[in-house]
Amino acid sequence: MQNHPQTDGRPTMRDVARVAGVSLKTVSRVVNHEAGVRPEVAERVRQAIAFLGYVPDERARNLRQSTSRPSSIGFAVSDVANPFFSSVLRGLEAVARSHNCLVLSASSDNDPERQDQLIDIFIQRRVAGIVVVPSSQHIGKLIPSVLRETPVVFLDCELSEQNCDIVRTDHFGGMTALTEHLISQGHRDIAYLGDNPSLFSARLRLSGFHDTMSRYGFATKEDWILTGSSTPSHWQTRVAGLLGNPSGPTAIVSAQNFSTIGAVMALHQLKLQRRVALAGFDDIPMGDVVEPAITVYPQIPLDLGRRAGEILFRRIAGSQEPLLQDISTSQLILRGSGEIKPTH
Amino acid sequence: MQNHPQTDGRPTMRDVARVAGVSLKTVSRVVNHEAGVRPEVAERVRQAIAFLGYVPDERARNLRQSTSRPSSIGFAVSDVANPFFSSVLRGLEAVARSHNCLVLSASSDNDPERQDQLIDIFIQRRVAGIVVVPSSQHIGKLIPSVLRETPVVFLDCELSEQNCDIVRTDHFGGMTALTEHLISQGHRDIAYLGDNPSLFSARLRLSGFHDTMSRYGFATKEDWILTGSSTPSHWQTRVAGLLGNPSGPTAIVSAQNFSTIGAVMALHQLKLQRRVALAGFDDIPMGDVVEPAITVYPQIPLDLGRRAGEILFRRIAGSQEPLLQDISTSQLILRGSGEIKPTH
DNA sequence: CTGAAAGCGCTTACAG
DNA sequence: CTGAAAGCGCTTACAG
């Protein structure tokens, strides 16, 4: 094929110029809608483009005009298949799109080495910016000497001494709202189910609980603070044990997904689902379908992704605003399980 | 900063060459681990690289060696936040990673125009290949004159006259398995809930049902074939209506998610969850937690993504094997709801 | 309104 | 073992 000298068969701007009988620069003008091309000439160029099926090569374009507009951003996360993170990605995508950017998404499986590798790969590709949900506080390559001018936004991690913007859920405030809600329904004997406090988010949620209880002058029993189980059925067993005691709690506040599901299972198992109140941090699948439906403080991952994207693109555009710690809040969804009144 | 002449502050290979006192080509050799550099020289280059914090520019690299290895693939889908599709993405990512590729993911919201735009953008970036879940059979830009040598794999769509590889779930076989299972439990009065038959997958599932029933010589009543509702609660109403009749079906086969959830709700509402059998196509959230747990034929989106990635990279590598229609099958998960025996 | 030259940061193909 | 030249497909900065 004489018209397509390239190995991959695609015509170049040079081919278009030849067919249209103009210079490279004129083709470039037409492609970029620059003014100052005689209409007839422009038309001739457009015809040549259509005839050859020419599509400009963004890579080449970007190489020369690297200072100008961004084209890709990177998103490094433990697992995009996790619905929470895929919603974050969707929010990011939406913002990227409004800047004519695409998102390179990559999962690290919480492997710090893979995370470092991903950051390197992103830098090699000269992404305009990076959003990262760091694996267990691992900083690794996320340092100024590697990043240089490439902006990074951290998602849902602890504010460290790093100089970076952070977007996260309001763990403390959300748990405060949940606890206050149960208290407002008359409860004071409240059990707490949560993640292992090695996670900063788990610590923030737990302190939201402690703080609220003590602010109201209620005691928190150590036996009623359960942490660290990892499957719904394990949670079910522990919660059933807790509720088996007649002087058990009148309400349960659950700080995460799996413990909420386990609590639902335990309550149904003991037929206590209409006697013991339950309120959970983070919505659960079918949370509005079970009986009674579950009162929750939802996280809004789409919003987290959008916020992260917005600050990222402001940095890309050169914003020198002070480092941001952007906290996404939401509203309790009252569905029934959290509005059960205490029975003893 | 004299060492960093670029606007974005990153040193180039030229800078490294200058600092190390060697030629461009020698730096290139060290960076690419090519043989034939004296160890001391190589060491000097490495020091310069470390000193300057040099990171090679993949874009430039790719421009010259465009014929060689791929660097990105594109994934166009209606919504990456949909857990089904985010799992597909994860499977794709895994395959891409083994080829040192990254995935550009983009959502189209089922907007045919946006899908066309995405294909254009992918082509402009010269992705090595594209995986697309087409919006309602929209072909648009997915045509040879635009695609040229860029391979495309379609996900979960009808085999059209297009020359393309397709990977999809075994809709017909899955529904056949579900129906046969209910029949094997003694049912013959089986109701069917499904998507609108405008979707090819809905048609395939429905014909799996019809085909199986007639193969066993059982009638399918038109009144028991419900299609087209879009929310669980709408399904709940319709299923409750169906079951209100004493001569109703003894079993329900549900062809999709929302109808399965609606059926669960209706069965619980009427306290029939242990009397009427239920089996569903596609797993549902909490499907193993409700009572009784739901028997399903699961789809395995991670597997779909992996298969799509595998054929895509074979095409990228130049495979001329015949067009593939790759059908991902799975096994029934018997959890209880589908093993209820008929009561009349 | 149009174009020739130089350059983006690398690699390829060659020469020494 | 090492390097000078040309080129990837575009844009930038000028000149006419």
Side-chain angles (χ1 to χ4, degrees), chain B residues 21 29 53 82 123 157 175 190 212 223 237 267 303 325 341:
Chain B
R29 283 197 181 90
N82 179 322
I123 298 292
C157 80
M175 185 49 75
I190 306 176
T212 307
D223 292 356
T237 309
L267 289 167
D303 186 55
Q325 182 167 25
K341 305 294 185 287

Side-chain angles (χ1 to χ4, degrees), chain B residues 130-143:
Chain B
I130 297 173
V131 173
V132 56
V133 191
S135 309
S136 56
Q137 308 305 319
H138 175 74
I139 296 303
K141 299 277 186 174
L142 294 163
I143 50 176

Side-chain angles (χ1 to χ4, degrees), chain A residues 73-77 79-97 101-107 122 131 133 155 300-309, chain B residues 75 77 79-82 85-87 89-90 93 103-107:
Chain A
I73 60 174
F75 178 53
V77 68
D79 181 11
V80 278
N82 178 322
F84 185 87
F85 294 128
S86 64
S87 288
V88 171
L89 171 59
R90 186 73 161 91
L92 243 188
E93 258 189 15
V95 179
R97 178 181 174 183
C101 261
L102 249 33
V103 182
L104 288 163
S105 74
S107 305
F122 287 154
V131 173
V133 191
L155 213 93
I300 311 184
L302 196 77
D303 185 55
L304 288 172
R306 260 195 298 247
R307 284 165 186 263
Chain B
F75 178 53
V77 69
D79 181 11
V80 278
N82 179 322
F85 294 129
S86 64
S87 289
L89 172 58
R90 186 72 159 94
E93 258 189 15
V103 182
L104 287 163
S105 75
S107 305

Side-chain angles (χ1 to χ4, degrees), chain A residues 1 4 6-11 51-63 66-67 70-72 78-83 86-87 89-90 93 97 100-109 111 114 117-118 120-126 145-150 232 261 264-265 284-286 288-290 302, chain B residues 1 4 6-11 51-63 66-67 70-72 78-83 86-87 89-90 93 97 100-109 111 114 117-118 120-126 145-150 232 261 264-265 284-286 288-290 302:
Chain A
M1 305 222 282
H4 313 134
Q6 279 179 270
T7 31
D8 71 341
R10 290 197 183 278
F51 174 66
L52 293 171
Y54 168 73
V55 180
D57 188 328
E58 265 297 314
R59 300 170 306 172
R61 194 176 234 166
N62 252 285
L63 194 58
S66 56
T67 66
S71 75
S72 310
S78 57
D79 181 11
V80 278
N82 178 322
S86 64
S87 288
L89 171 59
R90 186 73 161 91
E93 258 189 15
R97 178 181 174 183
N100 289 312
C101 261
L102 249 33
V103 182
L104 288 163
S105 74
S107 305
S108 72
D109 278 319
D111 174 1
R114 175 63 180 161
Q117 214 179 91
L118 287 174
D120 266 343
I121 292 174
F122 287 154
I123 298 292
Q124 280 170 211
R125 302 202 178 202
R126 302 295 193 265
S145 66
V146 174
L147 262 19
R148 302 252 170 167
E149 324 277 272
T150 309
I261 296 172
V264 171
M265 289 160 68
I284 62 169
M286 311 264 290
D288 54 347
V289 168
V290 289
L302 196 77
Chain B
M1 306 223 280
H4 311 136
Q6 277 179 272
T7 31
D8 71 341
R10 292 199 181 276
F51 174 67
L52 293 171
Y54 168 73
V55 180
D57 187 328
E58 265 297 313
R59 300 170 307 172
R61 195 176 234 165
N62 251 284
L63 194 57
S66 56
T67 66
S71 74
S72 310
S78 57
D79 181 11
V80 278
N82 179 322
S86 64
S87 289
L89 172 58
R90 186 72 159 94
E93 258 189 15
R97 178 180 174 184
N100 289 312
C101 262
L102 249 33
V103 182
L104 287 163
S105 75
S107 305
S108 71
D109 277 320
D111 173 2
R114 175 62 180 162
Q117 212 179 93
L118 287 174
D120 266 344
I121 293 173
F122 287 153
I123 298 292
Q124 280 169 211
R125 302 202 177 202
R126 301 296 191 265
S145 66
V146 174
L147 262 20
R148 303 250 170 170
E149 322 278 272
T150 310
I261 296 172
V264 171
M265 290 160 67
I284 62 170
M286 312 263 291
D288 54 346
V289 168
V290 289
L302 196 77

